[in-house]
Amino acid sequence: MHEQIYIHQDDHSDLTDDQLADKVLRYIQYSALIDTSGLSVMAIGRTVVLSGYVSCEAEIGCIEQAAVSVIGVHLVENRVEVAKQ
């Protein structure tokens, strides 16, 4: 049986910064199906900062849309760039 990446039991808004950042990263992995090995997520209050690298421009938008849709996130600052090949 596969371990669940994202579960809804942590869908409440009183998470610590680290818990929210972890939740956002897990949701990006779950919903966008993007390689997140080059991605970093940091939460400050209800603001999430995305940074790192992805393989193409389309993935940047997918990551941002996934992060915005997480319960508890009010603002997303997207600093993700396309990796230079």
Side-chain angles (χ1 to χ4, degrees), residues 22 56 62 64 75 81 85:
D22 183 54
C56 69
C62 291
E64 186 170 346
L75 181 66
E81 299 177 13
Q85 310 256 341

Side-chain angles (χ1 to χ4, degrees), residues 15-73:
L15 300 173
T16 66
D17 292 351
D18 290 340
Q19 289 171 326
L20 182 59
D22 183 54
K23 176 181 168 181
V24 169
L25 184 59
R26 285 184 290 119
Y27 190 70
I28 291 169
Q29 293 169 329
Y30 169 79
S31 66
L33 300 175
I34 291 172
D35 177 14
T36 58
S37 61
L39 186 65
S40 174
V41 179
M42 180 176 64
I44 305 165
R46 300 295 160 232
T47 300
V48 171
V49 179
L50 305 172
S51 59
Y53 297 93
V54 292
S55 62
C56 69
E57 191 75 32
E59 290 181 351
I60 294 174
C62 291
I63 288 169
E64 186 170 346
Q65 288 295 339
V68 167
S69 67
V70 172
I71 292 172
V73 173

